[in-house]
Amino acid sequence: MKYLSTRGGMQPQSFSDILLMGLAPDGGLALPESYPQISRSQLDAWRGLSYAELAFEIIRLFATDIPEADLKDIVSRTYTAAVFGSEAITPVKRLSDGLVILELSNGPTLAFKDMAMQLLGNLFEYVLAKKGQSLNILGATSGDTGSAAEYAMRGKKGINVFMLSPDGLMSAFQRAQMFSLQDANIHNIAIKGMFDDCQDIVKAVQNDHAFKAKYQIGTVNSINWARVVAQVVYYFKGYFNATSSNDEQVSFCVPSGNFGNVCAGHIARQMGLPVQRLIVATNENDVLDEFFRTGVYRPRGTANTYVTSSPSMDISKASNFERFVFDLLGRDGAAVKALWADVDAGKGFDLSARLSDAAGKFGFVSGKSSHADRLATIRAVDASDGVVVDTHTADGIKVARELRLPGETVVCLETALPAKFADTIREALDRDPPRPAGFDGLEDLPQKVVVFDADAAKVKAFVEQTLAG
Ligand SMILES: Cc1ncc(COP(=O)(O)O)c(C=O)c1O
Ligand SMILES: N[C@@H](CCOP(=O)(O)O)C(=O)O
């Protein structure tokens, strides 16, 4: 399997190359030349597999330059009950109204990011050892990518992590998870701005080809294709867990911000998973909902991005959306390049002529949720089912309940545990969320972080100084 860029300007590359590459040299995102097609007999054979077995079957279709025995070893070391809390890895629970919740947050940092990041850490270690290279990761987080990446990479030989986060905007738990890590290879940088400012800096540094090559800069954001492909696995597993036969269809409802999670659902559907609809749920930062309702994509600046109680979704420039638009436009890299030139110039674009394909051919619909909706949903699910959901998952459940069709099986993706967002849970339920073992006193630990203006030059200087020792 070879990989190309959404902007059409990259020679075909192998999986191991794009794993370390970050943004493509033309500023686009890597995608496989085509999506592997899964036959009915393959689907039947996969239904009874364990999570690790299924992950191996799916990832080997994409990571074709990694010997199968090595990949099997990496995957089986990654998806274990010791790391993810149960043999099921991603169990499902059914609410009394029939909605299915796919649990993705039982990993080390209590968010769905662990599902891919744990694999990414092990893949990096393997490929870097083979190539005799080291990697300096520059990432951006609105709260969950950062801790998942740092927990997956801490202490790993040949890897440094420089993680940008919006200063003061993550929850106290999220901040403490990241900033309390004292490992020598972990560096936290709080940026005076929002997540989009952090992601812009990451992309600016990625596009400085000389700096990137000199300091071997890689990425852990969903810019990295390996993140997306690892997430494809749980759509298959969620489908098998929510159905009793491969004759059935399901829809997935996905709390969305940077569009990485639902992009993996889109790829699973393109591979032939029987997915009826992909329901995109946003919070008040609703650029994606606006697109799927109107066909107009209008990324917003920091001044027009709200600080909400589902902070990990406070995103107004959805990086992975570019991968979907590439498919929507019939894989026309030149057209994508032109559209993103407009995005980079602060404008949006109008694809309303393609809106019927987004829904009809690709199955996308969307809805949005507000703070009041979030509180009402957290209260309602607690009252009806005795289940406390986090604020992002609540956004998904709200939208799923609103858009569900008669007879439709909807699987809502649980993207984090409520312990990460205690203030809003207390506001909704007047009590603390359950706190999993091992996190007591987290917020009281000493924290290590530097604070910078949203300036790529300052971040580059910090990386240089740190690596110079
Ligand atoms: C808890 C949580 N929910 C939802 C999202 C949105 O996911 P995506 O950015 O992949 O659309 C994120 C961030 O990525 C998150 O951390
Ligand atoms: N919500 C994310 C933002 C980064 O998204 P990514 O999937 O591109 O890493 C976060 O929690 O950091």
Side-chain angles (χ1 to χ4, degrees):
M1 172 72 73
K2 292 285 185 191
Y3 290 83
L4 37 76
S5 162
T6 48
R7 300 193 189 171
M10 180 174 83
Q11 289 304 312
Q13 305 267 340
S14 71
F15 179 84
S16 298
D17 287 336
I18 60 147
L19 178 74
L20 303 183
M21 185 180 73
L23 274 188
D26 64 355
L29 300 173
L31 266 181
E33 281 176 329
S34 63
Y35 298 123
Q37 295 302 296
I38 306 308
S39 66
R40 173 60 195 250
S41 61
Q42 257 172 309
L43 210 56
D44 290 344
W46 287 0
R47 179 166 274 278
L49 298 184
S50 70
Y51 196 94
E53 289 166 339
L54 181 64
F56 168 69
E57 290 299 332
I58 293 173
I59 296 166
R60 83 187 172 94
L61 302 174
F62 294 95
T64 48
D65 62 333
I66 298 184
E68 294 209 337
D70 293 355
L71 185 64
K72 196 173 237 170
D73 174 59
I74 292 168
V75 166
S76 54
R77 280 191 287 113
T78 302
Y79 295 110
T80 65
V83 176
F84 288 97
S86 72
E87 291 296 341
I89 310 293
T90 57
V92 294
K93 54 182 169 248
R94 212 169 276 269
L95 300 184
S96 43
D97 69 348
L99 282 185
V100 179
I101 306 290
L102 176 61
E103 293 184 26
L104 301 174
S105 311
N106 298 317
T109 68
L110 316 184
F112 79 99
K113 306 287 178 174
D114 290 323
M115 296 303 308
M117 212 64 87
Q118 287 291 312
L119 180 75
L120 201 61
N122 291 333
L123 281 172
F124 277 151
E125 197 167 49
Y126 170 85
V127 172
L128 290 172
K130 283 251 157 191
K131 290 180 182 263
Q133 288 178 13
S134 55
L135 192 67
N136 296 305
I137 292 161
L138 179 63
T141 187
S142 53
D144 295 315
T145 290
S147 53
E150 293 182 355
Y151 274 61
M153 312 296 163
R154 60 189 297 202
K156 283 226 182 321
K157 206 164 152 265
I159 301 180
N160 281 293
V161 178
F162 296 87
M163 187 56 64
L164 312 181
S165 59
D167 187 29
L169 299 184
M170 301 186 293
S171 75
F173 188 102
Q174 289 175 315
R175 271 198 303 274
Q177 267 185 317
M178 289 173 57
F179 301 165
S180 66
L181 295 181
Q182 304 295 332
D183 305 68
N185 71 331
I186 302 295
H187 312 280
N188 285 301
I189 306 168
I191 295 291
K192 291 182 189 157
M194 298 202 67
F195 168 78
D196 292 320
D197 300 304
C198 300
Q199 184 159 254
D200 283 349
I201 293 173
V202 168
K203 291 195 171 180
V205 174
Q206 284 279 330
N207 283 322
D208 179 342
H209 296 152
F211 185 89
K212 183 177 169 179
K214 181 169 179 195
Y215 293 103
Q216 292 164 305
I217 304 293
T219 179
V220 285
N221 281 102
S222 52
I223 291 170
N224 194 319
W225 168 255
R227 277 274 314 279
V228 180
V229 81
Q231 292 175 178
V232 169
V233 177
Y234 57 67
Y235 282 87
F236 278 83
K237 196 64 183 162
Y239 169 78
F240 293 134
N241 286 345
T243 56
S244 50
S245 126
N246 294 334
D247 295 326
E248 295 173 47
Q249 282 201 317
V250 305
S251 296
F252 288 97
C253 184
V254 189
S256 294
N258 219 15
F259 207 74
N261 199 355
V262 76
C263 184
H266 160 68
I267 286 150
R269 191 174 186 272
Q270 293 305 297
M271 290 169 69
L273 187 69
V275 176
Q276 188 177 345
R277 302 193 298 167
L278 291 164
I279 305 171
V280 174
T282 73
N283 64 15
E284 292 88 336
N285 296 300
D286 59 353
V287 282
L288 292 169
D289 179 44
E290 183 175 48
F291 175 81
F292 287 109
R293 282 184 299 101
T294 65
V296 175
Y297 182 56
R298 277 192 311 137
R300 297 172 200 152
T302 297
N304 296 311
T305 301
Y306 302 104
V307 175
T308 77
S309 49
S310 42
S312 302
M313 289 168 23
D314 291 347
I315 298 175
S316 291
K317 265 191 212 170
S319 180
N320 265 285
F321 186 56
E322 182 169 341
R323 286 192 167 108
F324 169 65
V325 170
F326 181 70
D327 286 342
L328 181 66
L329 298 183
R331 310 202 115 209
D332 180 345
V336 172
K337 185 176 173 189
L339 292 181
W340 258 267
D342 282 346
V343 169
D344 290 342
K347 294 184 275 178
F349 53 74
D350 183 347
L351 289 180
S352 49
R354 302 290 187 126
L355 194 56
S356 59
D357 275 353
K361 187 169 168 199
F362 294 101
F364 275 96
V365 290
S366 70
K368 64 184 277 195
S369 171
S370 66
H371 180 68
D373 294 328
R374 226 163 276 140
L375 295 181
T377 304
I378 291 167
R379 286 183 192 124
V381 176
D382 179 52
S384 62
D385 293 274
V387 171
V388 182
V389 293
D390 96 285
T391 52
H392 308 74
T393 308
D395 288 333
I397 293 172
K398 184 265 178 184
V399 171
R401 286 185 165 160
E402 210 164 64
L403 299 189
R404 182 158 56 150
L405 302 169
E408 187 179 26
T409 301
V410 180
V411 178
C412 290
L413 270 52
E414 172 215 73
T415 55
L417 291 192
K420 297 189 98 165
F421 307 100
D423 287 353
T424 310
I425 302 299
R426 272 194 293 272
E427 187 181 345
L429 301 178
D430 212 15
R431 64 176 198 270
D432 283 331
R435 184 174 275 237
F439 292 96
D440 287 338
L442 178 73
E443 292 89 335
D444 302 326
L445 296 173
Q447 300 193 357
K448 186 181 83 165
V449 59
V450 294
V451 184
F452 290 156
D453 287 332
D455 180 348
K458 289 218 169 82
V459 171
K460 283 197 267 192
F462 180 76
V463 171
E464 265 173 336
Q465 282 159 18
T466 308
L467 295 178

